[in-house]
Amino acid sequence: MKKLLSLFLILMLVVSLGACSTKEAANEGTEQNNNSSNSTDELVPEDGAELLVWESEGPEGEWIEYIAEKFEEEYGVKVTYEAVGAVDAREKLAQDGPAGVGADLFAAPHDHTGALVASGLVQNNHIPEKTKNEFMEAAVDGLSYQGIVYGYPTAIETYALYYNKEIFPEAPTTYDEIIAKGKEYNDVNNNKFAFMWDVGNAYYTHSFVAGGGGYVFGQGGTDKDDIGIDSEGAIAGAQSMLDLKEILPVNSQDSTTQIMEGLFDEGTVGAMIDGPWAVNGRKESGIDFGIAPLPKLSNGKQQSSFSGMRGLFISAYTKYPNAARLFAEFATSEEMLLKRFEITQQIPPKKSLMEAEQIKNDEYVAPFLEQAQFAVPMPSIPQMQYVWEPYGNSFASMWNEGTSPEEALGNAAEVVREAIKAE
């Protein structure tokens, strides 16, 4: 029995040592994988790989088609572009991904990151340290969730003030100037307005709330339990927004982006809030326009816009992860992002391109960079999906029906809180 017990103990010791060696080897392998995850030197496209990429229609799609051609020349992988709006990609992938017909890569705004991760729709960024080193911190943070980088940054954007130089020879710096101009210039029957913006769109109108000291979520947009859209500062900011009703006496449905851009191009709108994506359209219209940072509010504070990051994400359902990773890195190279800027006029968040002559000396880009210093990143936590509709509706309610900011914003905040509780 003693001999058997001794043999048993020796056997257990051998097994234990073997297990430790196996665990150490596994850890070493994991460490090697983590280290190699920041290099595509060993990445080779899978045999027969083909990629489907979703991106918005228009200049962004044109950019993807350009990259697809160059990528196929470089790696021999065919890439097909399909026009799917960046804000629509998440829902479409949730349906198409499991069926095996979804995109391998897709574009999405950074505020979708949390929901994409929570839904299990995306893979990690395979070169996180390289991305952190080469891109602006705000862009990397926006495309990360709980400290892990998921997206590949393609653009950083905010909005600013477009102004017609025939109506405003100099860019207005305060809303008091705009209101004064509206009193002498406006002619509602002929669609002449000193100022317009997409009133019912929370993306733009939050800038008034933020200027008053309001916020969406606390802790830099990460605390889902601290909702600030009905805070004292938010209410004050919304009231300053309502001061503009005097010179924009139309329903919010008659002051949308499409309508205001059309009137601006006709020369009947003096100024409007819009993003860098609108530059090319205004150039094509032939209107003599300029761009400037947003004006100061009646409280003397700078209007604080939302900033957003755009990025490419790799689908969790892709059959060709190597090819997809190669494409993501190829698309976010300095050369390809500079090409994106040329096509879309969207600011590339790559540090090395901040000093590129065609970017820093562009009269239509510099104002957005200036406004960016007053911008607040849109929260990217999954709960942000509950905010947009009730928040936008609250502005429309205030504007169209005369609902008080306290009531309208309070109702919106309650809808968000209830949605979070129901998770």
Side-chain angles (χ1 to χ4, degrees):
M1 289 296 293
K2 289 182 179 179
K3 289 181 180 179
L4 287 173
L5 181 60
S6 297
L7 287 170
F8 177 74
L9 291 174
I10 291 171
L11 180 61
M12 290 299 294
L13 179 61
V14 170
V15 171
S16 176
L17 289 172
C20 289
S21 299
T22 301
K23 184 176 181 181
E24 288 175 4
N27 288 339
E28 183 178 351
T30 299
E31 184 176 349
Q32 290 174 349
N33 287 337
N34 288 339
N35 290 336
S36 66
S37 69
N38 283 305
S39 171
T40 56
D41 292 344
E42 299 178 4
L43 277 180
V44 177
E46 295 84 354
D47 290 340
E50 293 186 8
L51 297 175
L52 173 64
V53 182
W54 289 344
E55 173 59 284
S56 300
E57 189 175 9
E60 293 92 346
E62 182 183 339
W63 174 67
I64 289 293
E65 290 180 315
Y66 174 85
I67 293 178
E69 180 182 344
K70 298 299 181 183
F71 187 75
E72 185 171 0
E73 290 176 5
E74 180 76 18
Y75 293 103
V77 175
K78 179 176 176 57
V79 180
T80 301
Y81 157 66
E82 183 178 342
V84 174
V87 297
D88 303 319
R90 176 167 56 90
E91 288 188 8
K92 185 171 175 58
L93 186 64
Q95 297 175 354
D96 293 356
V101 295
D104 298 280
L105 301 100
F106 62 94
H110 85 271
D111 59 308
H112 284 204
T113 302
L116 286 166
V117 175
S119 302
L121 297 175
V122 293
Q123 297 186 14
N124 296 14
N125 177 314
H126 74 288
I127 44 170
E129 293 307 317
K130 181 179 180 182
T131 301
K132 290 175 183 177
N133 290 335
E134 295 184 0
F135 289 84
M136 296 169 61
E137 183 177 358
V140 177
D141 289 348
L143 296 168
S144 300
Y145 182 63
Q146 295 182 342
I148 298 174
V149 186
Y150 287 91
Y152 299 79
T154 56
I156 185 168
E157 60 195 15
T158 190
Y159 39 88
L161 188 77
Y162 286 65
Y163 63 98
N164 182 326
K165 292 183 178 181
E166 290 189 7
I167 300 171
F168 287 103
E170 299 291 334
T173 58
T174 69
Y175 277 105
D176 288 341
E177 293 176 56
I178 289 176
I179 290 172
K181 173 65 73 172
K183 289 178 179 178
E184 68 177 50
Y185 173 79
N186 275 18
D187 182 352
V188 177
N189 293 331
N190 290 302
N191 289 320
K192 293 177 65 177
F193 302 98
F195 175 67
M196 294 185 82
W197 88 100
D198 197 340
V199 176
N201 189 328
Y203 173 67
Y204 296 106
T205 307
H206 174 76
S207 59
F208 292 93
V209 169
Y215 57 94
V216 180
F217 294 110
Q219 299 296 318
T222 63
D223 186 354
K224 65 181 177 62
D225 297 316
D226 180 8
I227 298 168
I229 61 175
D230 60 346
S231 63
E232 184 177 341
I235 291 168
Q239 188 58 57
S240 69
M241 178 267 294
L242 291 174
D243 291 343
L244 294 163
K245 179 75 174 179
E246 178 182 7
I247 62 163
L248 188 55
V250 299
N251 282 343
S252 59
Q253 296 93 325
D254 297 320
S255 186
T256 63
T257 296
Q258 184 177 7
I259 291 172
M260 75 176 184
E261 287 181 352
L263 295 177
F264 188 87
D265 291 349
E266 291 174 10
T268 63
V269 168
M272 65 176 185
I273 296 175
D274 216 335
W277 47 85
V279 169
N280 285 341
R282 309 296 72 74
K283 287 181 178 178
E284 291 171 2
S285 75
I287 200 80
D288 185 13
F289 74 101
I291 303 174
L294 296 177
K296 290 184 178 179
L297 301 174
S298 56
N299 60 9
K301 293 183 180 179
Q302 181 65 44
Q303 191 174 9
S304 182
S305 56
F306 259 146
S307 65
M309 276 60 68
R310 298 193 183 200
L312 283 175
F313 292 85
I314 297 176
S315 168
Y317 299 99
T318 180
K319 297 177 183 176
Y320 307 111
N322 281 0
R325 290 166 184 161
L326 282 169
F327 185 90
E329 189 168 4
F330 186 80
T332 53
S333 66
E334 184 174 310
E335 179 185 356
M336 294 302 149
L337 286 181
L338 190 57
K339 187 66 177 181
R340 180 186 175 97
F341 169 75
E342 293 173 3
I343 295 174
T344 69
Q345 290 296 293
Q346 294 169 3
I347 302 168
K350 206 172 185 75
K351 296 174 184 176
S352 60
L353 292 177
M354 290 297 97
E355 293 302 313
E357 292 296 323
Q358 57 266 60
I359 293 177
K360 70 177 183 179
N361 294 329
D362 192 313
E363 64 177 310
Y364 301 118
V365 173
F368 291 108
L369 288 174
E370 188 176 350
Q371 176 62 35
Q373 66 180 314
F374 304 111
V376 177
M378 288 183 290
S380 61
I381 59 176
Q383 292 74 22
M384 189 63 189
Q385 64 183 308
Y386 305 133
V387 174
W388 293 116
E389 184 175 354
Y391 199 25
N393 289 343
S394 74
F395 296 122
S397 177
M398 284 182 255
W399 194 264
N400 300 336
E401 301 163 20
T403 308
S404 69
E406 292 90 344
E407 181 181 352
L409 292 174
N411 289 340
E414 187 59 27
V415 171
V416 176
R417 292 187 180 104
E418 289 300 319
I420 292 174
K421 284 181 185 178
E423 288 184 325

